[in-house]
Amino acid sequence: MTTFPLPARRREFLLGCAATALTTRVGSLHAQPAYPSQPIRVIVPFGPGGLADISLRLVAQKMSERMGGHAWVIENRPGAGGVVAAQAALNAPRDGHTLILFANGTAIGKSLFKLDYDPETDFMPISTLALFDLILVTRKDGPLTDVRSVLDAARQRQLMLGSINPGSTQNLSAELFKSVAKIDATVVPYKSTPEVLTGVLRGDIDVAFESYAALKGPVDAGQVRVIAGTDAARAPWLPNVPTVKESGLAGYEVTGWNALYATAGTPASVVAMLNAHVTAVMAMPDVRKRLTELGTQAKSSTPGELADIFRRDAAKWGQVIARANIKVS
């Protein structure tokens, strides 16, 4: 191949362009410091000791080990339906060193509260961490033994369905059951799970809607009867318990979830790195085993899949809230 020398001015011009490009590239590399460069803080909108908190701490330990030993710090900020936690995250630098735990309750909050931020546009999805269903429980020596007997009883009298506070996933799951089954029932909200359990044991309510994790002790001890699960498939921790849908109530399905989010503006490369690490952690046998013992299923997702889950849940629960005439606060 024949080559020809460039004119001097042309050669100088091209050399200058190359030097400028190299300087820009080096400057860009200096503008993006290595991640992480400090401890990663995860803000949790719940108090310590709950299912989401316990499962996140397990995941955080594994994430720290995978990311060169950089500490993961869990900061519990309960209150105001997750608003306190969200504001704390939004006020932090948007560099991936402050993350937040969202749950299906966050999707509910879009219709239940007048927020001065949007969980879908002010935050960036990273990955789901775990999925779980709720269970329907009743008195162990009562007349209700399955979903069919609940529906039959509802044709004879008004049923009392129990749950924790209004607007919770449990509460709206009871409202959804009432709506889909087209039964005459009153949904009774209690302040806490122990009060719901007392209502079941005393016969004040016919059926309670709660997570297996919250009622694990009474369920495993045989104090209450579990008549159904709310997910599309049977839960691995209660394989002999049928789902509501399987029991004949088509159109009823409730799946709880918790997930990791970053604030909008976090570099896409950071989100991709975190997603890859979460995916690896949620596939670890010891993590999957421990989460199953807690009554939740280890499950990662892509950011896009998580965005779709949030969007569907927000629309679904918004309709339930409207039908139940629950006041927006």
Side-chain angles (χ1 to χ4, degrees):
M1 181 177 66
T2 305
T3 59
F4 299 92
L6 289 171
R9 288 184 179 178
R10 176 65 173 165
R11 187 168 60 250
E12 290 173 2
F13 173 76
L14 292 177
L15 288 172
C17 289
T20 300
L22 179 60
T23 302
T24 302
R25 174 61 176 161
V26 171
S28 175
L29 290 174
H30 283 303
Q32 296 181 9
Y35 175 85
S37 59
Q38 62 191 64
I40 296 173
R41 178 174 63 141
V42 186
I43 301 175
V44 182
F46 313 109
L51 175 61
D53 179 73
I54 294 173
S55 57
L56 175 62
R57 290 176 187 275
L58 172 63
V59 172
Q61 178 186 345
K62 298 292 186 178
M63 291 288 283
S64 174
E65 293 170 0
R66 284 187 58 85
M67 299 177 72
H70 283 276
W72 278 56
V73 180
I74 309 302
E75 183 176 316
N76 299 92
R77 290 284 194 98
V83 173
V84 174
Q87 291 293 1
L90 291 171
N91 289 335
R94 304 191 176 194
D95 56 7
H97 290 99
T98 299
L99 309 176
I100 189 169
L101 185 79
F102 276 179
N104 46 287
T106 312
I108 290 171
K110 280 205 68 172
S111 297
L112 199 59
F113 304 112
K114 295 176 181 177
L115 304 173
D116 57 3
Y117 62 89
D118 189 332
E120 293 188 84
T121 59
D122 290 324
F123 293 88
M124 299 173 68
I126 297 174
S127 173
T128 54
L129 300 178
L131 307 179
F132 57 92
D133 66 351
L134 301 180
I135 53 176
L136 280 64
V137 302
T138 187
R139 235 173 56 231
K140 67 175 183 179
D141 56 351
L144 305 179
T145 57
D146 52 24
V147 170
R148 181 55 55 193
S149 63
V150 172
L151 300 181
D152 289 343
R155 297 188 185 96
Q156 308 299 321
R157 61 182 176 85
Q158 185 181 61
L159 293 184
M160 307 297 282
L161 309 178
S163 74
I164 57 173
N165 50 295
S168 64
T169 304
Q170 293 90 329
N171 180 255
L172 295 181
S173 295
E175 291 285 0
L176 180 63
F177 184 89
K178 172 183 171 181
S179 174
V180 172
K182 296 179 173 59
I183 61 174
D184 182 18
T186 298
V187 178
V188 183
Y190 290 84
K191 292 181 179 179
S192 66
T193 298
E195 290 183 9
V196 173
L197 178 61
T198 299
V200 171
L201 296 177
R202 291 197 314 208
D204 297 336
I205 51 178
D206 296 291
V207 178
F209 291 70
E210 186 51 283
S211 69
Y212 169 67
L215 289 177
K216 187 176 187 302
V219 168
D220 292 352
Q223 289 181 267
V224 293
R225 174 185 291 152
V226 183
I227 59 176
T230 64
D231 203 352
R234 295 190 182 195
W237 44 89
L238 290 174
N240 296 322
V241 174
T243 67
V244 172
K245 183 185 294 186
E246 177 185 354
S247 301
L249 191 58
Y252 185 88
E253 181 182 332
V254 175
T255 303
W257 51 268
N258 54 55
L260 202 60
Y261 274 71
T263 45
T266 300
S269 59
V270 170
V271 171
M273 177 192 294
L274 290 169
N275 177 270
H277 284 306
V278 170
T279 300
V281 168
M282 303 318 291
M284 293 178 177
D286 58 331
V287 172
R288 301 180 72 84
K289 180 176 182 294
R290 178 57 181 147
L291 290 182
T292 298
E293 292 170 351
L294 291 171
T296 184
Q297 178 185 359
K299 178 69 176 178
S300 62
S301 72
T302 66
E305 289 168 343
L306 176 51
D308 288 342
I309 291 171
F310 192 107
R311 193 177 303 113
R312 288 196 302 268
D313 269 15
K316 172 181 180 176
W317 295 120
Q319 293 174 358
V320 174
I321 289 167
R323 283 197 302 264
N325 293 316
I326 298 176
K327 186 178 179 181
V328 177
S329 58

